[in-house]
Structures are given as C-alpha cells and as structure tokens.
Amino acid sequence: MKKIVVGTDASASSFDAVKQASDLAAASGAELHIICVASLAADLALRGIAPLAIPNDYDEEAKKAAAGAVEQARTIAEKSGAKATVHVLDGDASTVLMEFCTKNKADLLVVGAHGMTGA
C-alpha cells in the first residue's frame, strides 16, 4: 500500500478514521493524505440544502473550520508516527473524495461511519 486517503469533518467518528488510517500509514510507510471538504454556499444552493439566509462570511468560515479539522487530524497522524499531507477542498464530500482518490491513485480511502451532516 502506497497511498492512503482519509476524510474528516471534525466529528469523533472521522477522527477515529484518521487514527486508524494513521496507524496503517505508519506501519506500512504509505503516504497519508487527510482531506476535509468544505461545503461552500454555492454548492449547498446547488444541492438545494442552503438555508434561506446565508451570512456573507459563510464560505470563509467553512474554509476556516475545515482548516482547523485537518490540523487536528494532522496532530493525530503525527502521534501515530505518520507524516500527513492535509488538503482543504470544496464541493460535495463524497464526490471530492472519490475524485481525489482516482486522480492520485490512492490504494485506500478511509472514512468514519457518521459525520456532522446527517444522512
């Protein structure tokens, strides 16, 4: 195994996934990529789930929260002995994760069982 991708949304389940992926990366010597996908206002509107009033700083705050999530995840990875590259991307999380894995020829994608977004 050469490349492992793990998604986080700052939920406990996603940080458990980061820990598992980090342990595996450390044991195998694989590259570890940690991704948090920020759902920006335009993407939410396209999917029909945007609130009626979106604050002007919504996108900035979403990106800031995603950056915080990947930094927390990087700390988890480092404690496991894995060196991680972090990415803050935007769009639909499942689509973005799959596209990243395909483009970067990932061997494994790790995600938690339940995140902050509900369904």
Side-chain angles (χ1 to χ4, degrees):
M1 192 168 330
K2 295 180 181 175
K3 288 186 185 177
I4 299 171
V5 174
V6 61
T8 184
D9 61 4
S11 66
S13 173
S14 73
F15 286 141
D16 289 343
V18 169
K19 172 73 169 106
Q20 294 296 318
S22 299
D23 289 347
L24 187 56
S28 67
E31 289 179 31
L32 178 63
H33 294 270
I34 301 171
I35 299 174
C36 186
V37 180
S39 292
L40 303 183
D43 182 56
L44 294 175
L46 285 174
R47 294 187 303 168
I49 57 175
L52 293 177
I54 298 173
N56 290 336
D57 63 347
Y58 181 87
D59 288 351
E60 181 182 322
E61 291 300 317
K63 288 178 185 178
K64 194 181 301 182
V70 293
E71 288 309 320
Q72 283 182 268
R74 185 196 311 259
T75 299
I76 293 167
E78 289 173 351
K79 287 181 181 176
S80 290
K83 183 178 178 187
T85 303
V86 298
H87 310 269
V88 172
L89 305 173
D90 62 81
D92 172 66
S94 59
T95 302
V96 170
L97 286 169
M98 291 307 298
E99 287 174 352
F100 185 93
C101 288
T102 300
K103 180 180 176 183
N104 292 280
K105 296 180 173 43
D107 298 300
L108 178 66
L109 171 62
V110 181
V111 295
H114 183 266
M116 299 180 344
T117 58

